[in-house]
Amino acid sequence: MVMILSWLQPQLLGVLGIFLYNTHVALALDLDLGNTESIKNAASTVAYDMMSYYKGNESGWPEGLLPEPYYWWEAGAMFGQMIEYWFYTGDTTYNTVVMNGLLAQVGPQNDFMPPNQTKTEGNDDQAFWAFAAMSAAEMNFPDPPADQPSWLSLAQAVFNLQAARWDTSLCGGGLRWQIFAFNKGYDYKNTISNGGFFQLAARLARYTGNDTYSDWAIKSWDWLQNSVVFTDDYQIYDGAQMANNCTIPSKYQWTYNVGTMLMGAANMYNYTNGDAIWRNRVIKLLQGAGIFFPQGNIMSEVACEPTQSCNNDQPSFKAYLSRWMAATAQIAPFTEAQIMAKLRASAIGAAAQCSGGSNGRTCGRRWYQQAWDGKSGPGEQMSALSVIQANLIQKVKPPVTQDKGGTSKGDPTAGTHGDSTNVLEPLLTRKITMGDRAGAGILTALVLSGLLGTMWWICF
């Protein structure tokens, strides 16, 4: 499909420089948090610039993928962000592009297992596409054509596949990071894979009312909380190697790890009608997330931002904590005041960073720094878009459920009609070469507590 990049010509608003007054910031990107239209206009500008990185709607480019060096998972995350953009703003400009991109990557078994992504797809990667499908169901994004899988069934397919991958061979359970044994990281159990499965199960429980999903949510939560990646004060670490039976954590902390746990816990709180156990867990997760707000209420990716060492994927992580904090404020409303203070301050900081590049509005990473930090990419745009539009959460309705307004029809057996990895049997049985190392999406640093004195850099 050929589409001229003319979805929207954003206006260059404001003037160069910084001016903060209450909730108003006058920049190349103008944002007044007291004005709904100003928030929508700012989101529109940032969304346009983010979508300019996507070429999948142009001739000669694969549909549903971002160009190199960006990996498969981040395109799914981007489409999920654009579903929320439509939901918050009512702007339908990108809906066809988003729907086509999502459906282009469902794979032959309608489970987000496209055969051409075997070298890059882990359980966490697959989860981000399922999150996009789940958001489409919860927000009543337009349904796919009748001959295509529904949003809900796609999320259910991923859940069923991942439940079948629950691995008790070592570490007492949990999901491995990687799906395929030939990918680097197959012997690692990471938080985002397991936290992603927890979140997906919790959201499916809330949407469908089916206790099978909530049972799995509880099971995955319990495994994580009893593992070394979860401290008593709710600091969430990256993961652990199976070689030592998951007894030594990699102590890197990323915004999206606490974010996915928060989103799942908030959904379980809502699903259980305010159960005190889940309320307490939400409270503690918000306290644990405090590490990512070292500059007052302004969010920071503390593991890589201060040293400007973030890879191509990590700049998008704040997008997920932002979107999941906003959702938490809505479905666990006792958190609203605390969360909105952080989302407002972070949005103002993000707008200040959207002041660089040749267009004068390119978004950077360091939201606590007034001048543009010189960094750019779809992740920087996505994070800024997420936190800015999150300030509209009080203007929109809560996510629907199957019995209360939802239009997406499910299939509880999706993903169970034959193992989709059978399609990939030739790849699974061939000799592994150096070229088979995982094409990563997220840089995960593993430190074996100094015992080995070495550092592994793993990509998602």
Side-chain angles (χ1 to χ4, degrees):
M1 171 178 11
V2 179
M3 187 174 189
I4 299 174
L5 198 62
S6 59
W7 301 307
L8 175 66
Q9 293 296 333
Q11 295 178 346
L12 185 62
L13 302 174
V15 295
L16 296 176
I18 307 296
F19 176 70
L20 297 177
Y21 179 74
N22 291 334
T23 60
H24 182 267
V25 55
L27 306 160
L29 181 67
D30 191 71
L31 177 64
D32 180 356
L33 293 179
N35 185 306
T36 298
E37 288 307 309
S38 174
I39 300 173
K40 289 183 177 181
N41 288 339
S44 175
T45 299
V46 178
Y48 173 86
D49 290 341
M50 181 182 74
M51 290 300 289
S52 69
Y53 286 94
Y54 179 64
K55 308 298 182 183
N57 57 331
E58 300 177 15
S59 295
W61 293 90
E63 197 164 30
L65 303 179
L66 282 165
E68 292 183 354
Y70 305 105
Y71 290 96
W72 181 73
W73 78 275
E74 193 164 0
M78 179 188 72
F79 293 135
Q81 195 67 63
M82 292 307 294
I83 289 169
E84 294 198 1
Y85 168 77
W86 160 80
F87 184 67
Y88 281 126
T89 67
D91 182 2
T92 62
T93 301
Y94 306 94
N95 284 11
T96 299
V97 173
V98 170
M99 180 183 292
N100 290 344
L102 283 169
L103 295 177
Q105 296 298 314
V106 299
Q109 300 293 325
N110 295 330
D111 53 11
F112 291 122
M113 291 283 291
N116 64 346
Q117 294 299 323
T118 55
K119 293 183 182 179
T120 66
E121 182 173 1
N123 282 303
D124 45 2
D125 304 78
Q126 188 185 32
F128 273 90
W129 288 84
F131 294 158
M134 198 70 234
S135 293
E138 293 167 335
M139 296 176 179
N140 271 343
F141 190 69
D143 292 321
D147 62 343
Q148 296 291 323
S150 70
W151 303 126
L152 179 57
S153 69
L154 286 166
Q156 289 172 312
V158 173
F159 169 84
N160 286 332
L161 284 175
Q162 295 198 350
R165 296 178 192 137
W166 188 263
D167 172 50
T168 58
S169 64
L170 285 170
C171 310
L175 291 176
R176 295 172 182 261
W177 173 23
Q178 295 296 336
I179 298 170
F180 302 109
F182 57 72
N183 279 336
K184 184 179 178 181
Y186 185 72
D187 56 353
Y188 185 64
K189 292 190 175 180
N190 62 344
T191 300
I192 191 59
S193 292
N194 287 280
F197 179 64
F198 163 64
Q199 179 193 150
L200 182 59
R203 291 170 72 177
L204 282 167
R206 182 186 176 277
Y207 189 92
T208 66
N210 188 329
D211 283 342
T212 297
Y213 298 121
S214 64
D215 290 345
W216 271 103
I218 293 168
K219 182 176 182 175
S220 53
W221 171 277
D222 289 346
W223 182 81
L224 278 160
Q225 189 174 36
N226 292 324
S227 76
V228 295
V229 306
F230 212 115
T231 72
D232 291 341
D233 59 353
Y234 281 57
Q235 300 296 302
I236 312 296
Y237 298 143
D238 186 79
Q241 288 286 346
M242 296 173 65
N244 54 51
N245 202 29
C246 301
T247 58
I248 303 173
S250 167
K251 292 188 176 181
Y252 287 84
Q253 295 188 63
W254 305 103
T255 49
Y256 73 162
N257 281 332
V258 71
T260 195
M261 299 305 296
L262 179 65
M263 181 64 161
N267 272 271
M268 289 300 290
Y269 168 83
N270 190 276
Y271 177 65
T272 58
N273 297 313
D275 183 271
I277 292 175
W278 289 108
R279 178 188 176 98
N280 187 53
R281 288 169 175 172
V282 169
I283 291 170
K284 288 186 175 180
L285 284 165
L286 283 173
Q287 291 172 346
I291 190 174
F292 300 110
F293 295 87
Q295 306 281 339
N297 281 329
I298 300 178
M299 192 184 302
S300 173
E301 197 64 64
V302 295
C304 65
E305 253 179 37
T307 57
Q308 290 286 36
S309 59
C310 302
N311 71 358
N312 287 323
D313 308 305
Q314 292 153 359
S316 75
F317 289 4
K318 291 187 294 185
Y320 318 127
L321 180 56
S322 297
R323 70 167 75 159
W324 294 332
M325 284 179 68
T328 296
Q330 189 176 59
I331 62 177
F334 67 90
T335 66
E336 182 178 3
Q338 179 183 0
I339 285 176
M340 293 311 299
K342 295 183 184 302
L343 293 179
R344 283 192 289 267
S346 296
I348 291 173
Q353 270 296 302
C354 295
S355 58
S358 60
N359 61 9
R361 60 172 188 267
T362 296
C363 300
R365 299 173 185 171
R366 293 177 169 180
W367 296 349
Y368 50 86
Q369 177 179 308
Q370 291 186 349
W372 181 54
D373 61 11
K375 302 298 182 180
S376 61
E380 286 85 350
Q381 295 297 136
M382 196 188 314
S383 289
L385 174 60
S386 183
V387 77
I388 289 170
Q389 68 187 24
N391 282 272
L392 294 169
I393 189 67
Q394 296 158 313
K395 306 291 185 181
V396 296
K397 295 179 180 179
V400 299
T401 66
Q402 194 166 256
D403 295 331
K404 295 183 179 179
T407 61
S408 190
K409 305 301 181 184
D411 177 7
T413 66
T416 64
H417 303 301
D419 186 351
S420 64
T421 57
N422 289 342
V423 178
L424 312 170
E425 187 172 355
L427 290 173
L428 294 173
T429 56
R430 67 179 172 81
K431 182 179 179 180
I432 300 172
T433 68
M434 288 297 291
D436 287 326
R437 70 179 183 83
I442 294 176
L443 184 66
T444 305
L446 304 177
V447 177
L448 299 182
S449 296
L451 296 176
L452 301 179
T454 58
M455 180 178 293
W456 294 33
W457 288 100
I458 298 180
C459 300
F460 176 30

